Amino acid sequence: MALIVQKFGGTSVGSVERIRQVAEKVKGFRERGDDLVVVVSAMSGETNRLIALAREMQSEPDARELDVIISTGEQVTIGLLAMALKAIDVPAVSYTGPQVRIVTDSAFNKARIQHIDDQRIRADLAAGKVVIVAGFQGVDEQGNITTLGRGGSDTTGVALAAALKADECQIYTDVDGVYTTDPRVVESARRLDKITFEEMLEMASLGSKVLQIRSVEFAGKYNVPLRVLHSFKEGPGTLITLEDDASMEQPVISGIAFNRDEAKLTIRGVPDTPGVAFKILGPVSAANIEVDMIVQNVSQDNTTDFTFTVHRNDLRKAEEVLHKVATEIGAREVGGDGKIAKVSIVGVGMRSHAGVASRMFEALSRDGINIQMISTSEIKISVVIDEKYLELAVRSLHSAFDLDSEPVDRV
Ligand code: ASP
Ligand code: MG
């Protein structure tokens, strides 16, 4: 008999009918003999509605009171799901985060879980009940209601699974797993059977928004096997887990992520003296602009070019800062480009394979795609290209790394 934590997202509990379907599904699992803790989100759209309501009262809502308001969405769905289960003769009990005592810090709207009391849940499971817990919320040491940040129900699920030492945390959602890339861009994108925590973090932070990033970090830290599954379609989903040395089926690259939200800035003819990188990027970070990729060229005639990327929304602001800096340090010119895209290949297999970068660059060159910037990490290679070639690049990389077909053996 296994202990499983299951989390159902907003669309899965989006109507009374859907909640009944979830109850049927939960009943099926329970009949197989598993102990179940079920975490639910608010009905889809409900959290947005509650935030809008709070903003009508106060344009910058008081953080503590906002949590009092937005935590109610999940309180509704736990009650409804418990009713639906009882109606089909499954003993069930619902709890809010504070009732369980999911204890967090006091950072309203973005609280972090510190500790979970498992006694009440364990007693109910022992008594044969399905325990239903409200996602996204907790209570601080002073008894204030807190919430965990948007998408936080995933983190509730993982944290409960860690606290209860559950066999698996299953995230039921409106996709049937994690894909090699966005199926809207590459028709032949495949569902992955398995992906590592590290790879998932790279894929998620690059824009494959299946899970809240923090929940993946949490699962990795406590080694909670995490599975993404479709709420209403049968299938094995995608297991997110530790790297498995014995897995010979592991392809070199697991997936291709991309991002259209970046912009590129270049400052040319910068006098190449110590401290110049700081003189350029110091004011940028002082203006609260986050920098992603950074490239500095080899100097020629004692001057160098410096290129970096920022979020596209920050392009104008960053250009202003750079024009000022350029005058101060005597640089020649500043350029900004908002029409770029970043494409990344991700895979732990890169660690044990040579030639991955050249295979990537070869594929791009075959399609005549110019690479503007390159950056690498242990399990990721990213390039910046012209935005208009994004789809083409993702498709050609997908086939160059054999992601269209079945995974190839490691050689
Ligand atoms: N209801 C919350 C939100 O919409 C939490 C969640 O769905 O995970 O962000
Ligand atoms: Mg969600």
Side-chain angles (χ1 to χ4, degrees):
M1 199 167 81
L3 170 56
I4 300 173
V5 175
Q6 301 186 320
K7 179 256 169 179
F8 288 88
T11 44
S12 314
V13 294
S15 66
V16 166
E17 197 35 55
R18 290 252 167 115
I19 292 174
R20 286 204 182 101
Q21 271 174 274
V22 169
E24 287 294 342
K25 191 166 178 110
V26 169
K27 182 179 182 162
F29 275 101
R30 195 165 165 282
E31 280 167 357
R32 276 186 243 168
D34 292 334
D35 276 341
L36 298 176
V37 175
V38 181
V39 174
V40 285
S41 290
M43 290 171 135
S44 55
E46 180 63 6
T47 309
N48 288 342
R49 188 187 72 82
L50 292 166
I51 291 171
L53 191 60
R55 288 216 175 111
E56 262 181 60
M57 185 56 72
Q58 199 178 20
S59 56
E60 293 269 335
D62 179 281
R64 181 191 183 279
E65 305 314 329
L66 183 63
D67 277 353
V68 170
I69 296 165
I70 62 179
S71 60
T72 60
E74 274 76 7
Q75 187 164 339
V76 172
T77 45
I78 56 170
L80 290 171
L81 181 57
M83 284 179 182
L85 282 165
K86 291 181 202 187
I88 53 174
D89 299 321
V90 178
V93 58
S94 70
Y95 294 121
T96 63
Q99 281 178 311
V100 171
R101 278 192 66 75
I102 295 180
V103 181
T104 71
D105 60 21
S106 302
F108 297 113
N109 315 160
K110 49 175 191 293
R112 291 192 169 248
I113 297 176
Q114 290 176 332
H115 163 80
I116 295 181
D117 271 0
D118 62 357
Q119 294 154 357
R120 203 162 181 182
I121 296 178
R122 287 200 188 279
D124 287 319
L125 291 173
K129 288 181 195 164
V130 172
V131 180
I132 303 161
V133 179
F136 181 55
Q137 51 177 265
V139 63
D140 72 4
E141 290 291 359
Q142 289 73 45
N144 300 300
I145 297 173
T146 56
T147 66
L148 308 179
R150 298 306 306 269
S153 298
D154 291 343
T155 300
T156 304
V158 172
L160 276 168
L164 295 164
K165 299 189 177 57
D167 295 283
E168 196 167 283
C169 179
Q170 301 177 340
I171 306 284
Y172 288 91
T173 178
D174 47 10
V175 293
D176 67 350
V178 179
Y179 275 67
T180 48
T181 194
D182 188 337
R184 284 169 300 188
V185 172
V186 181
E187 232 178 86
S188 54
R190 273 189 305 115
R191 180 186 53 78
L192 293 157
D193 285 324
K194 249 187 188 183
I195 185 170
T196 68
F197 294 119
E198 270 176 297
E199 289 170 324
M200 188 62 204
L201 285 173
E202 295 287 8
M203 299 282 280
S205 62
L206 293 165
S208 321
K209 302 179 187 72
V210 187
L211 288 168
Q212 195 203 31
I213 290 179
R214 214 201 303 165
S215 73
V216 181
E217 284 167 359
F218 207 107
K221 186 166 164 198
Y222 294 97
N223 192 15
V224 176
L226 194 59
R227 194 183 289 276
V228 174
L229 302 124
H230 196 285
S231 301
F232 303 117
K233 284 186 216 153
E234 287 302 313
T238 299
L239 180 65
I240 307 161
T241 179
L242 289 177
E243 197 169 338
D244 173 8
D245 297 330
S247 165
M248 299 301 286
E249 295 287 311
Q250 186 78 33
V252 181
I253 296 304
S254 295
I256 297 165
F258 54 86
N259 181 348
R260 302 173 211 259
D261 300 335
E262 289 192 30
K264 186 180 77 169
L265 289 130
T266 304
I267 175 162
R268 290 195 191 82
V270 176
D272 193 8
T273 53
V276 85
F278 174 64
K279 281 187 190 140
I280 295 169
L281 292 179
V284 172
S285 90
N288 256 320
I289 300 171
E290 231 180 279
V291 172
D292 180 25
M293 277 195 205
I294 306 172
V295 172
Q296 187 196 319
N297 264 340
V298 182
S299 65
Q300 253 186 348
D301 314 324
N302 295 321
T303 68
T304 184
D305 298 345
F306 208 92
T307 305
F308 58 93
T309 62
V310 297
H311 194 283
R312 211 173 271 185
N313 296 343
D314 289 332
L315 175 59
R316 291 285 156 263
K317 199 160 81 175
E319 272 177 330
E320 267 168 45
V321 173
L322 277 199
H323 278 294
K324 244 187 254 154
V325 169
T327 326
E328 273 162 33
I329 63 176
R332 199 173 65 239
E333 60 180 350
V334 170
D337 183 354
K339 292 198 162 52
I340 57 152
K342 183 166 82 172
V343 182
S344 309
I345 57 174
V346 176
V348 291
M350 236 180 253
R351 289 197 187 113
S352 50
H353 282 77
V356 178
S358 66
R359 197 159 145 197
M360 179 183 198
F361 305 152
E362 189 195 0
L364 295 172
S365 82
R366 262 200 310 266
D367 283 316
I369 299 170
N370 187 39
I371 300 170
Q372 302 178 7
M373 291 171 85
I374 302 168
S375 84
T376 63
S377 77
E378 222 193 336
I379 66 161
K380 178 182 79 173
I381 303 172
S382 305
V383 295
V384 166
I385 58 172
D386 188 322
E387 185 184 25
K388 68 173 181 259
Y389 297 124
L390 175 63
E391 270 92 3
L392 178 61
V394 175
R395 274 197 294 270
S396 62
L397 292 171
H398 200 264
S399 69
F401 285 98
D402 298 321
L403 295 172
D404 296 331
S405 53
E406 285 305 299
V408 289
D409 280 5
R410 262 180 210 271
V411 276

